[in-house]
Amino acid sequence: GAVVSQHPSWVICKSGTSVKIECRSLDFQATTMFWYRQFPKQSLMLMATSNEGSKATYEQGVEKDKFLINHASLTLSTLTVTSAHPEDSSFYICSARDRRVEKLFFGSGTQLSVL
Amino acid sequence: SQQGEEDPQALSIQEGENATMNCSYKTSINNLQWYRQNSGRGLVHLILIRSNEREKHSGRLRVTLDTSKKSSSLLITASRAADTASYFCAMVSTGGFKTIFGAGTRLFVKA
């Protein structure tokens, strides 16, 4: 089946630094990728939709200057958490839709801890 | 973003028993999907049911969809300890492309 690779799996950083998370579709082209955020024991909250070659579409309440999304190619989307603070600590998951099978395939997630 | 609602929030059963999880949603949908998440991991797609389908099976999984009630259920038969995980329903609204998730059910299967 389709594979989505997400790196890094976990990252610990100091407050004020920026962190980049990569999401790659390995065996299919993904014109659209989605970024979700998940707090412990809670559901996935959609943050933004990443569109190849154009600006991302952010959900209400998500700061676009805080969470920079770049979708430079059909197989790669990146999420950069800028000037991270402890409240940004969370589990971030990307996904990509394989249109051939109408399914979403998920990366393994990135646990971000900001000290 | 608008979420579906799931119940129960948590479910604890003995190995061999059946587990039923329910999902309700608010808008018209193209399809509804069920995903599984092991602790701290990504999600795995289990099954997709289209808006014009009423029931679907995949191995020990059975999914029903009632569009008049805007609800779906996931039944796992003959549960195993390895089924312990969180289960989420997710839906794509009619004319949309975003996938929105329900609150999830945490299933614990005791050996």
Side-chain angles (χ1 to χ4, degrees), chain A residues 13-31:
Chain A
C13 69
K14 292 181 179 179
S15 187
T17 59
S18 294
V19 175
K20 180 185 282 188
I21 304 170
E22 290 189 351
C23 182
R24 294 179 185 272
S25 57
L26 296 185
D27 54 358
F28 66 99
Q29 293 182 337
T31 54

Side-chain angles (χ1 to χ4, degrees), chain A residues 2-3 9 24 58 86 91:
Chain A
V3 176
S9 298
R24 294 179 185 272
Y58 291 81
F91 192 60

Side-chain angles (χ1 to χ4, degrees), chain B residues 39-59:
Chain B
S39 181
R41 305 289 297 275
L43 278 72
V44 174
H45 184 273
L46 295 177
I47 196 165
L48 178 152
I49 186 165
R50 293 187 175 81
S51 59
N52 61 352
E53 297 176 310
R54 292 296 167 259
E55 188 172 311
K56 207 160 182 179
H57 297 254
S58 176

Side-chain angles (χ1 to χ4, degrees), chain A residues 80-91:
Chain A
T80 301
V81 183
T82 62
S83 187
H85 290 282
E87 58 266 29
D88 299 323
S89 298
S90 187
F91 192 60

Side-chain angles (χ1 to χ4, degrees), chain A residues 35 46-51 54-71 77-82, chain B residues 1 97-98:
Chain A
W35 288 95
L46 180 64
M47 298 174 66
T49 302
S50 171
N51 305 297
S54 65
K55 292 182 180 179
T57 304
Y58 291 81
E59 294 299 302
Q60 192 173 9
V62 178
E63 300 174 58
K64 57 183 68 175
D65 294 331
K66 173 71 153 176
F67 299 100
L68 298 179
I69 291 173
N70 184 281
H71 195 152
S77 176
T78 61
L79 167 67
T80 301
V81 183
T82 62
Chain B
S1 48
F97 60 91
K98 294 187 290 188

Side-chain angles (χ1 to χ4, degrees), chain B residues 62-81:
Chain B
R62 173 177 167 253
V63 169
T64 62
L65 179 64
D66 187 335
T67 53
S68 66
K69 294 181 180 178
K70 291 186 167 58
S71 67
S72 173
S73 67
L74 170 68
L75 169 68
I76 303 174
T77 60
S79 63
R80 305 166 183 167

Side-chain angles (χ1 to χ4, degrees), chain B:
Chain B
S1 48
Q2 202 171 42
Q3 283 187 339
E5 295 180 2
E6 288 186 60
D7 75 272
Q9 290 186 336
L11 180 61
S12 181
I13 59 174
Q14 290 291 139
E15 203 166 31
E17 294 180 341
N18 295 341
T20 300
M21 290 159 264
N22 303 296
C23 170
S24 61
Y25 55 92
K26 298 177 182 177
T27 62
S28 298
I29 59 170
N30 281 336
N31 62 64
L32 188 142
Q33 303 170 50
W34 285 89
Y35 290 84
R36 166 193 167 126
Q37 183 183 35
N38 287 356
S39 181
R41 305 289 297 275
L43 278 72
V44 174
H45 184 273
L46 295 177
I47 196 165
L48 178 152
I49 186 165
R50 293 187 175 81
S51 59
N52 61 352
E53 297 176 310
R54 292 296 167 259
E55 188 172 311
K56 207 160 182 179
H57 297 254
S58 176
R60 292 185 296 115
L61 305 179
R62 173 177 167 253
V63 169
T64 62
L65 179 64
D66 187 335
T67 53
S68 66
K69 294 181 180 178
K70 291 186 167 58
S71 67
S72 173
S73 67
L74 170 68
L75 169 68
I76 303 174
T77 60
S79 63
R80 305 166 183 167
D83 294 329
T84 295
S86 291
Y87 292 82
F88 296 92
C89 65
M91 56 229 82
V92 179
S93 56
T94 302
F97 60 91
K98 294 187 290 188
T99 300
I100 304 300
F101 284 80
T105 294
R106 296 196 308 280
L107 174 66
F108 181 65
V109 182
K110 293 177 280 189

